[in-house]
Every structure is written in C-alpha cells, then in structure tokens.
Amino acid sequence: MTRALPYSAIAEIFSRFEAAEPEPKGELHHVNAYTLLVAVALSAQATDAGVNRATAGLFEIADTPRKMLDLGEEALTAHIKSIGLYRNKARNVIKLSRILEEDYGGEVPSSRAALQSLPGVGRKTANVVLNMWWGHPSQAVDTHIFRVGNRTGIAPGKDVAAVERAVEDNVPAPYQRHAHHWLILHGRYVCVARKPKCGACLIRDLCAYEDKTE
C-alpha cells in the first residue's frame, strides 16, 4: 500500500484542485432529488454516460415517485435495458418509489439511514445524494476514488470503508464538500487505471505513486 501523504501535501493538492475547478459537478443528469437518487442507483456497474442516455427520455415522463409508479416496471425496464443488471434495478426503483410515496410523502429523505433503507440504495449511493443534493460533506467512494486514494497517498485503505474514513480524516475541512468530486474526476480523466497521465497531472510533484508515466 502506498504511504499516506503528510497533511501539508494533501492540503496543497486540494488547493490545486480547487483552483483548477472551484465548483466540480457530478456527471449524472438529474432534475431533482428523486431523479438524482434513481440515476445514482442505476449507475452501479454502469457508466454515467450510459445512465444519462437511458434516463434522458425516462426523466421527461417520470421525475417523481408517483409518476414512476404510474409508468410501471415493464415500461421502466424498456427505458433502462441498455444498463447492466437492468431488470433488478427496475424492480428496486419501483420498490423504492413506492416506499417514498407511501412513507415519505413522495420526498427523498435527507438521512443516510433512511436512504440506505431503500431497496437498491447502499452507502455510496446515499453519500452521493447527501453530497450532491444537500451539500453534506459525505464521501462516496467508487473505483476511481479507491484507486486515486491509494495510488497517490491521499487516502490509502484496504477497502472502500477504510478509504472513506481516510478521506474524512486526511482532507482538510474546507475541501470536504467537493473532495469526492475532485477525486472522481481526477481518476476518470487523469489518474486512469491502466496508464495514468502523470505528464498532465497537476499534483505529480506531490503524489506518492512511484511508477509515474511520462
């Protein structure tokens, strides 16, 4: 495992991330808290671009739990069949929509525990919704953050939970709200899995990764 960077280096890294992109945004298209929740739930083992293509037409006709229930599982399945595990995801979206309609008045709860109680919603999905919609400094660790956290030394950890804790512990408080977006975007476009683009990396001099590319 890569050694953890000192606090001063991590602070400088996020200062550079902020200077380059002060307000990083998630790439899943949504129009409200409900469509964000559905989009994130659909994104498991799928790309954001693929989810956006599938939901472009869906969210025009079903942007609330009630409208999704009226649409029905069969029609929903037809909209998202290009996404991996689409049948199971369609069932979960209908189930969570029914719970939201019956137990929460059609609103998406702002509690992590309540969100995680919904079908198909795990901790990562809950953290994304809490962060993107309500601005909570929650850290949703996906494959990009896990890789970047370990490779750079920003947030090393043996599993997702350990990396999440490391981000919370190591990243200075002023950067916590946007930390997971900066790390995701860095992993998606620069610190890629097979051959990181170290020559174009704005934190190359601070990164603990030893096998840097040109």
Side-chain angles (χ1 to χ4, degrees):
M1 184 184 299
T2 304
R3 63 178 173 83
L5 291 172
Y7 181 85
S8 58
I10 295 174
E12 175 61 22
I13 283 171
F14 282 90
S15 174
R16 294 181 190 182
F17 283 156
E18 182 180 51
E21 190 163 9
E23 293 288 333
K25 304 295 183 184
E27 296 183 329
L28 284 171
H29 296 166
H30 60 282
V31 296
N32 53 30
Y34 173 71
T35 54
L36 174 61
L37 174 63
V38 171
V40 179
L42 293 177
S43 71
Q45 300 184 46
T47 65
D48 287 1
V51 172
N52 289 340
R53 286 192 295 270
T55 58
L58 173 64
F59 290 159
E60 290 182 358
I61 59 175
D63 60 356
T64 68
R66 181 69 268 162
K67 291 178 183 178
M68 191 69 75
L69 292 171
D70 291 342
L71 180 66
E73 185 175 330
E74 184 176 347
L76 169 58
T77 301
H79 275 279
I80 67 170
K81 63 184 179 181
S82 60
I83 300 174
L85 306 175
Y86 66 94
R87 293 190 186 279
N88 187 55
K89 290 177 180 178
R91 284 193 293 271
N92 282 334
V93 168
I94 294 298
K95 288 178 182 177
L96 72 83
S97 298
R98 184 168 291 109
I99 292 171
L100 292 177
E101 185 68 17
E102 295 177 354
D103 297 346
Y104 296 95
E107 299 295 326
V108 175
S110 59
S111 154
R112 180 186 284 111
L115 286 167
Q116 286 188 242
S117 72
L118 298 171
V121 178
R123 186 177 180 87
K124 185 182 79 170
T125 296
N127 280 345
V128 172
V129 174
L130 289 172
N131 181 275
M132 289 182 63
W133 194 256
W134 284 286
H136 293 192
S138 51
Q139 307 303 329
V141 178
D142 68 352
T143 56
H144 297 301
I145 292 183
F146 187 83
R147 178 178 67 255
V148 172
N150 277 288
R151 181 184 275 168
T152 62
I154 293 171
K158 293 183 178 180
D159 54 35
V160 168
V163 171
E164 181 180 333
R165 288 193 300 271
V167 174
E168 292 172 344
D169 291 343
N170 298 348
V171 176
Y175 304 117
Q176 284 282 328
R177 179 180 175 186
H178 294 312
H180 97 271
H181 277 132
W182 281 317
L183 292 171
I184 286 173
L185 295 171
H186 190 65
R188 185 172 288 163
Y189 297 110
V190 180
C191 196
V192 295
R194 294 187 179 181
K195 190 177 181 181
K197 302 173 183 178
C198 299
C201 178
L202 57 80
I203 63 167
R204 177 189 174 113
D205 58 314
L206 299 167
C207 172
Y209 185 54
E210 294 182 354
D211 300 323
K212 290 184 174 68
T213 63
E214 293 302 321

